[in-house]
Amino acid sequence: MTRSVRRTRRMLQLAGAGAAALMALSACSSSSDSSGTKSDTSGSASPKVSGNITVFAAASLRESFTALGRQFEQEHPGTKVSFNFGGSDTLAASITGGAPADVFAAASPKTMAIVTGKKDADGTPATFVRNQLEIATLPGNPDKVSSLKDLTKSGLKVVLCDKTVPCGAAAQKALDASKLKLTPVSYEQDVKAALNKVELKEADAAVVYKTDVKSAGGKVEGVEFPESAKAINAYPIVLLKNAPNAAAAKAFIALVRSAEGQKVLSEAGFLKP
């Protein structure tokens, strides 16, 4: 092999090595840029929420929302969830009257409409659960109540929610569908107040939600009635327009609507949305 040929081959080998080095350097640089971009993206992911939020919620949500509030605080250290439970109509009136709150969870679309009608909601309310009525009687059901019609028996002390409250409106709808007339001993401002009358043995029966009968445990006995299927309430939830802590409020609503939140609500007796 001549010296000229060997020199040419050597030059080609060096050139190849140099090109390979340049390619490796370029790949390393590209990898570095890519990782830097990923780092920036992850850094701008969903912001950490903190601070206090106030949730106005239907009385029937007391147990499940209290549990979800504790879970939310554990998942987001530095947050505090405060609740105002009551009749949905009363809560709606408070919100439209200027009461500071971040979230509203109502027991019916009709009471939610009070808030959306005044443009006090931020966005469209979403149904997150549904609830069905049940008769709550004294433990052991001493009056042998087995139907909605049995509540019209003479001498039976029955309590209903006020007709302006979702549980009262649903009860009236079931009664109308059955063409039954019932005069209760009292109308209560929310479902927990109606249930409490039976728990304290101040009434023989009350028309409440299945979730309330379940949460009461052995303090009452539940009696299902077919007419309740015609009066199932949908529960909507929404972020409020002037929410003091919108970021945390959105995170709480997300928890309620998540698979985790739905599990808690389902275990409490709520129906799927």
Side-chain angles (χ1 to χ4, degrees):
M1 184 180 294
T2 65
R3 183 179 297 175
S4 174
V5 172
R6 284 198 298 269
R7 187 182 300 113
T8 300
R9 180 176 292 177
R10 177 64 177 163
M11 288 175 68
L12 288 170
Q13 288 174 341
L14 288 171
L22 283 171
M23 288 176 68
L25 181 62
S26 175
C28 181
S29 174
S30 175
S31 175
S32 175
D33 291 344
S34 176
S35 64
T37 302
K38 287 179 182 177
S39 176
D40 291 344
T41 302
S42 63
S44 62
S46 57
K48 179 182 177 183
V49 297
S50 61
N52 301 340
I53 60 170
T54 300
V55 178
F56 278 32
S60 49
L61 292 165
R62 183 185 299 275
E63 291 80 15
S64 51
F65 263 36
T66 299
L68 287 173
R70 287 195 297 266
Q71 183 174 330
F72 183 82
E73 291 169 355
Q74 290 172 359
E75 292 178 358
H76 302 280
T79 59
K80 172 67 178 176
V81 185
S82 298
F83 292 102
N84 182 7
F85 295 108
S88 294
D89 61 325
T90 302
L91 296 176
S94 296
I95 292 167
T96 57
D102 298 276
V103 176
F104 180 39
S108 73
K110 185 177 181 180
T111 45
M112 176 59 77
I114 297 171
V115 172
T116 57
K118 293 290 185 179
K119 302 188 185 305
D120 285 324
D122 185 347
T124 304
T127 298
F128 63 101
V129 286
R130 295 180 302 133
N131 212 349
Q132 192 166 354
L133 296 174
E134 192 167 77
I135 299 167
T137 71
L138 296 171
N141 193 5
D143 296 296
K144 308 300 179 188
V145 174
S146 61
S147 67
L148 192 62
K149 186 177 181 180
D150 285 345
L151 296 183
T152 63
K153 289 178 182 177
S154 177
L156 196 68
K157 292 184 289 184
V158 179
V159 171
L160 296 178
C161 295
D162 191 86
K163 294 176 184 179
T164 60
V165 181
C167 67
Q172 191 57 53
K173 187 176 181 180
L175 287 165
D176 290 344
S178 305
K179 297 181 180 179
L180 295 172
K181 289 187 178 181
L182 172 62
T183 303
V185 293
S186 69
Y187 285 105
E188 301 300 323
Q189 290 305 306
D190 64 60
V191 71
K192 293 298 184 186
L195 183 71
N196 195 47
K197 290 285 186 179
V198 181
E199 291 181 344
L200 295 175
K201 295 181 172 56
E202 294 176 3
D204 301 312
V207 180
V208 296
Y209 293 119
K210 284 189 173 185
T211 52
D212 298 295
V213 171
K214 188 169 184 176
S215 68
K219 295 179 182 178
V220 300
E221 185 165 320
V223 177
E224 296 182 353
F225 57 100
E227 296 87 351
S228 64
K230 299 175 183 177
I232 294 175
N233 278 4
Y235 282 49
I237 190 169
V238 76
L239 172 71
L240 294 173
K241 188 176 182 179
N242 297 315
N245 191 349
K250 287 178 182 177
F252 179 78
I253 292 173
L255 173 62
V256 170
R257 299 185 66 193
S258 71
E260 243 182 323
Q262 289 295 300
K263 183 181 178 184
V264 171
L265 290 158
S266 178
E267 288 173 351
F270 287 96
L271 305 173
K272 292 181 179 180

